[in-house]
Amino acid sequence: MAQSVDEFFDECSEVGYGKKEIEFFEKAISFTESQFSGERRLSGENFLDNNLRIAKILVKSKLPVEVIVAGLLYGLDEKLPPVEIQNNFGKEISDLVYGQHQLRVLKEKNKNVEAEVVRKILLTSLYDPRVIFVKLASKLASLLTISALNEIQQKKIANEVFEVTAPLANRFGLEYVKRNLEDEAFKILNPRKFKEISDFLKASKEEREIFIKEFIKEIERELKEKVSVLKIK
């Protein structure tokens, strides 16, 4: 867990969140840890590690502080009354945390509806789209530990990513989330092709890096020659 916390704060520093924001994140982490003490998810990891992963995804997307805190508090809508979150973190964050319940209700009511209709329902029914931002990050975080589920469940979730989740991320301009959702879902649905493409891109990257290094060396040689000529003149 300590490593996950350190990695989260490293990412926060890299993106540029200040001391005040970091202290707010620390408060949310301590609060979540106290509420989920000893509890573990289906994958075997503790809830705080999952929430840190969600928040890190939100940080990489450079989202506002209140959205990241809502990610750190993810799941507490099922454990605590809204007033407790509100008293500790304010009404705005409380609404984002408890908006996840609204999302679950909408999804359950429309589970047999076509993907395009589901996307429209989600976009028009929520008073605050930032609730969806947190849910998208949660979906990506879950994909990273999806091996705990059987193959049928994994493929069902991966198909849902392509039909609903990734298009929503694209709709809101969350490029990092969209790209990684699609990569993880494709890895599940077609692992062989995913490996082929990954190996090709890795090889191509290595070739590009070699070319760039050689190109830089050539430029440096030419510059040295020109400097030598200038010194002689």
Side-chain angles (χ1 to χ4, degrees):
M1 186 191 302
Q3 183 178 355
S4 299
V5 173
D6 290 342
E7 289 175 356
F8 170 70
F9 284 123
D10 286 345
E11 192 66 41
C12 290
S13 298
E14 188 174 325
V15 172
Y17 293 96
K19 181 181 178 181
K20 185 177 179 181
E21 288 86 359
I22 296 295
E23 289 175 350
F24 202 21
F25 297 157
E26 288 175 340
K27 177 182 176 182
I29 289 170
S30 297
F31 188 83
T32 298
E33 186 174 15
S34 68
Q35 297 300 324
F36 282 119
S37 179
E39 294 184 48
R40 293 191 174 274
R41 302 177 72 241
L42 183 63
S43 63
E45 71 174 351
N46 62 60
F47 278 89
L48 179 58
D49 280 342
N50 177 67
N51 288 17
L52 285 166
R53 189 178 297 111
I54 292 171
K56 187 176 178 182
I57 291 166
L58 296 168
V59 167
K60 283 179 175 290
S61 299
K62 300 180 180 179
L63 290 169
V65 171
E66 62 273 10
V67 179
I68 295 164
V69 173
L72 289 168
L73 301 175
Y74 186 82
L76 289 181
D77 59 298
E78 298 184 274
K79 293 180 69 68
L80 301 173
V83 66
E84 191 159 350
I85 298 292
Q86 185 172 328
N87 288 342
N88 283 277
F89 299 95
K91 187 176 187 306
E92 183 178 17
I93 289 174
S94 176
D95 288 345
L96 292 177
V97 172
Y98 286 90
Q100 299 306 317
H101 174 72
Q102 185 184 0
L103 267 182
R104 284 192 293 272
V105 171
L106 284 171
K107 186 176 178 182
E108 183 63 27
K109 285 182 177 179
N110 300 282
K111 60 183 178 182
N112 296 320
V113 179
E114 291 183 2
E116 179 64 26
V117 177
V118 171
R119 291 199 298 271
K120 289 181 178 178
I121 290 171
L122 292 175
L123 288 170
T124 56
S125 298
L126 291 170
Y127 65 92
D128 192 335
R130 293 175 299 175
V131 172
I132 296 181
F133 298 173
V134 178
K135 186 61 181 178
L136 293 173
S138 169
K139 179 65 73 173
L140 177 53
S142 295
L143 282 176
L144 298 174
T145 58
I146 201 170
S147 59
L149 302 179
N150 63 49
E151 185 177 350
I152 294 175
Q153 291 172 314
Q154 289 185 33
K155 289 187 175 181
K156 180 182 178 182
I157 292 171
N159 280 314
E160 182 184 288
V161 165
F162 279 114
E163 293 173 359
V164 179
T165 320
L168 277 174
N170 183 60
R171 171 69 175 77
F172 287 111
L174 301 175
E175 178 58 31
Y176 173 83
V177 178
K178 171 186 174 291
R179 185 177 66 251
N180 283 278
L181 280 169
E182 291 175 338
D183 284 351
E184 293 300 323
F186 183 61
K187 187 192 300 185
I188 293 165
L189 295 173
N190 200 331
R192 182 179 297 178
K193 180 60 68 175
F194 179 85
K195 186 176 186 307
E196 288 177 6
I197 294 172
S198 297
D199 290 345
F200 171 76
L201 291 175
K202 183 179 178 181
S204 299
K205 181 182 178 183
E206 291 173 352
E207 290 174 2
R208 289 196 302 272
E209 290 175 347
I210 292 172
F211 172 79
I212 291 170
K213 287 178 181 178
E214 291 300 320
F215 181 73
I216 291 172
K217 287 180 181 178
E218 184 63 31
I219 294 295
E220 289 174 343
R221 280 196 294 268
E222 290 184 8
L223 287 173
K224 285 180 181 179
E225 289 175 3
K226 287 181 180 180
V227 169
S228 298
V229 171
L230 287 172
K231 284 182 178 179
I232 292 171
K233 288 183 178 180

